[in-house]
Amino acid sequence: MAVVEVRQGNSPVILGFPHTGTDVPAAIWDRLNDNGRILADTDWHIHQLYDGLLPEVTVVRATFHRYVIDANRDPEGVSLYPGQNTTGLIPETDFDGKPIWKDGEAPTEADIAERLRSFHAPYHAALAAEIERVKAIHGVVVLYDCHSIRSRIPFLFEGKLPDLNIGTDMGKTCAPDIEKATAAIAAAAEGYSSILNGRFKGGWTTRHYGRPETGVHAIQMELAQSTHLAAEEPPFALDATRSALLRKPLGAILNRIETIAFDLKTLTGSEA
């Protein structure tokens, strides 16, 4: 199977989808327990949610599930949120803290090394290549990293998560105008709650690639799944009405980010 899908466009914006994949090789599937095989911690359907919102956007999507290996974790295994509950490079539990592997079948160091080579590295090689390609066209690129998560997960956070969770590592990963515009549109979106750099401040992808001083900007959007799923439980079906409503602020955000990127291109004197 292809571990990454790439759809190239000519916009200065790139959409990254590290967690929508549900492919699990048979040898790994056989080691998952019944709980793990639910694949509950998928970013369900958000590649469909964003589809068509921005003409000419580039899309980079991992097809493998995060239980194979998490494409949004530091390959060295360093925690994104020291001192807080989270899941690692290859999760041992789901987001509720429940085991996902059969007894004695948890991934070994050799498994981690092999999956880094076969899954994690190819995804990031593709993403890095698209960042370089788009930057060569525009002199600037904005990586918008797309995520979703259940709105209530006591193991990870208290209470109910806001609907739109924007992460920029406290403003480090993108130009202030990108952060400000995204937060403003989210805050003004009727019927939705939002927060900037709350529980989710941007994952490893956002923090790794976001280098505004080099013309590479990154921002993460973590959506509460209650905004677009019929229910946050199996079969995790997409709700057409909720999705259609959510696409409006998401489309506004992407179009505004693209406009800002073109403005940044002009300010830096870059030429296509």
Side-chain angles (χ1 to χ4, degrees):
M1 67 178 182
V3 301
V4 58
E5 295 176 346
V6 176
R7 188 174 74 223
Q8 293 185 331
N10 291 318
S11 169
V13 179
I14 295 173
L15 301 183
F17 294 96
H19 292 153
T20 64
T22 55
D23 290 345
V24 180
I28 297 175
W29 180 263
D30 288 344
R31 296 168 65 177
L32 289 168
N33 62 23
D34 288 343
N35 181 52
R37 291 181 181 184
I38 297 172
L39 304 182
D41 302 328
T42 306
D43 291 11
W44 296 102
H45 311 297
I46 59 169
H47 55 303
Q48 297 170 262
L49 186 66
Y50 282 95
D51 190 41
L53 291 181
L54 190 66
E56 288 300 315
V57 74
T58 291
V59 174
V60 180
R61 187 179 87 88
T63 62
F64 54 91
H65 195 264
R66 69 190 305 157
Y67 292 170
V68 176
I69 193 166
D70 193 328
N72 196 38
R73 292 292 184 269
D74 188 330
E76 299 297 324
V78 178
S79 176
L80 289 169
Y81 299 102
Q84 299 184 50
N85 287 339
T86 187
T87 53
L89 186 58
I90 298 182
E92 295 185 4
T93 70
D94 64 12
F95 285 164
D96 294 313
K98 299 176 182 178
I100 60 173
W101 302 99
K102 294 176 181 176
D103 290 344
E105 294 290 354
T108 65
E109 290 299 316
D111 291 326
I112 294 172
E114 193 281 324
R115 295 185 207 177
L116 279 169
R117 286 192 302 270
S118 300
F119 298 93
H120 193 284
Y123 173 76
H124 283 284
L127 187 56
E130 290 308 304
I131 288 171
E132 287 303 309
R133 183 186 66 83
V134 171
K135 187 183 175 187
I137 296 171
H138 298 287
V140 63
V141 58
V142 182
L143 171 61
Y144 180 100
D145 207 36
C146 308
H147 296 264
S148 74
I149 193 168
R150 284 178 287 139
S151 60
R152 294 185 184 273
I153 307 180
F155 184 70
L156 297 184
F157 50 81
E158 295 182 1
K160 186 177 186 295
L161 194 70
D163 297 321
L164 309 176
N165 300 265
I166 304 158
T168 65
D169 196 20
M170 308 307 291
K172 298 175 186 175
T173 63
C174 66
D177 284 353
I178 295 172
E179 178 188 78
K180 186 184 301 182
T182 303
I185 294 171
E190 186 175 356
Y192 298 101
S193 57
S194 65
I195 193 169
L196 174 63
N197 291 313
R199 171 61 178 85
F200 297 100
K201 297 176 174 63
W204 183 77
T205 301
T206 302
R207 302 183 199 192
H208 177 69
Y209 292 104
R211 298 287 184 272
E213 68 278 5
T214 71
V216 180
H217 306 262
I219 187 166
Q220 176 179 298
M221 179 65 79
E222 185 88 56
L223 301 170
Q225 292 180 346
S226 56
T227 61
H228 55 282
L229 295 187
E232 296 179 316
E233 59 186 19
F236 301 104
L238 192 65
D239 184 284
T241 300
R242 290 177 179 175
S243 299
L245 290 172
L246 183 57
R247 280 169 60 86
K248 295 177 182 178
L250 294 180
I253 287 169
L254 291 181
N255 278 276
R256 182 67 184 127
I257 286 175
E258 184 180 65
T259 298
I260 293 170
F262 283 126
D263 289 343
L264 290 171
K265 171 184 173 179
T266 302
L267 289 172
T268 58
S270 301
E271 296 181 359

